Amino acid sequence: MEPDEPAEALAELRERRPGPLGLLQAAAGSGLVAYAAWALLLQPGFRRVPLRLQVPFAGASARQVEHVLALLRGRPGKTVDLGSGDGRIVLAAHRCGLRPAVGYELNPWLLALARFHAWRAGCAGAVCYQSQDLWKVSLRDCRNVSVFLAPSVLALLEDKLEAELPAGARVVSGRFPFPTWQPVAVVGEGLDRVWAYDIPAAGSRRTIPATPTAGPAPAAGSQPT
């Protein structure tokens, strides 16, 4: 058939009703599959969170998890992951002796996936994943905190952490640093970089000075103090 015969082409298309595979290919080409995955897997947990506080899920890499553990390993007390996603950091923390290890995540699909990973690893009864909004959960009994969140959220999270965490608690942030805090250790490069911050005694300022007078932050690969 020549391309300049629109009537015949239209008639042929009407006769060819696409099957399931054809519909799937059309959906993929139009972006509908990506939207459906977002709506089913990632969006449910966000419906209870204001738009400005929503952070799309992106699982931590093996190297990022390794760096988090390097900055927390050997520390006593409760360890929590805020926005724990598929639970890999919580599970790894438990395995290296950081106990109890708890993850807070609103998305039910990711919670189910995290619990499946824990069950498959034989740790179903040892780690805890809770369906709670990280902005509403109390952190007063936490000694170690892990976060992999967007910069806009980190700016708002600083006040909550400073108000609730006890002196000596450590906060580890992956991918992005807290905007005004001075890290005590930095490990890794690029997207695998992780920053550690220690909460001082009440009343102590721990923000970065407007005109820095201290030396540079510890170089990548340095160990926590």
Side-chain angles (χ1 to χ4, degrees):
M1 178 185 299
E2 296 296 328
D4 58 349
E5 298 177 349
E8 293 185 29
L10 181 59
E12 183 176 355
L13 286 175
R14 287 174 177 171
E15 293 176 359
R16 292 184 180 180
R17 295 187 177 181
L21 180 58
L23 291 174
L24 181 61
Q25 290 173 335
S30 64
L32 290 178
V33 168
Y35 176 79
W38 164 260
L40 290 174
L41 299 179
L42 300 180
Q43 196 179 40
F46 286 167
R47 291 172 184 156
R48 289 176 280 171
V49 178
L51 181 62
R52 68 192 179 98
L53 301 181
Q54 295 181 6
V55 181
F57 168 69
S61 68
R63 184 61 58 86
Q64 288 168 342
V65 174
E66 177 184 332
H67 292 163
V68 170
L69 297 182
L71 293 170
L72 293 180
R73 186 177 282 108
R75 290 178 52 83
K78 181 179 179 180
T79 298
V80 301
D81 186 21
L82 302 180
S84 54
D86 62 4
R88 65 186 71 185
I89 291 178
V90 174
L91 186 57
H94 171 80
R95 284 171 160 173
C96 81
L98 294 166
R99 302 173 185 177
V102 181
Y104 296 109
E105 172 61 54
L106 276 177
N107 189 303
W109 301 94
L110 293 175
L111 277 171
L113 183 58
R115 289 165 179 161
F116 170 74
H117 288 161
W119 170 82
R120 188 173 61 177
C123 301
V127 297
C128 179
Y129 298 104
Q130 298 184 14
S131 177
Q132 286 188 259
D133 185 345
L134 66 86
W135 299 102
K136 297 178 181 179
V137 66
S138 174
L139 302 175
R140 299 188 184 279
D141 63 340
C142 300
R143 301 294 301 180
N144 307 299
V145 178
S146 168
V147 295
F148 276 72
L149 301 173
S152 59
V153 176
L154 294 177
L156 297 171
L157 190 58
E158 285 182 348
D159 291 341
K160 176 180 174 65
L161 295 174
E162 285 193 324
E164 297 184 14
L165 289 176
R170 172 161 292 185
V171 181
V172 174
S173 179
R175 297 197 185 99
F176 302 102
F178 279 90
T180 69
W181 288 2
Q182 178 66 54
V184 297
V186 184
V187 176
E189 296 290 343
L191 287 178
D192 291 330
R193 182 170 292 180
V194 174
W195 294 260
Y197 307 87
D198 288 345
I199 301 296
S204 300
R205 288 188 59 83
R206 59 189 310 285
T207 55
I208 301 173
T211 303
T213 56
S222 61
Q223 293 302 311
T225 58

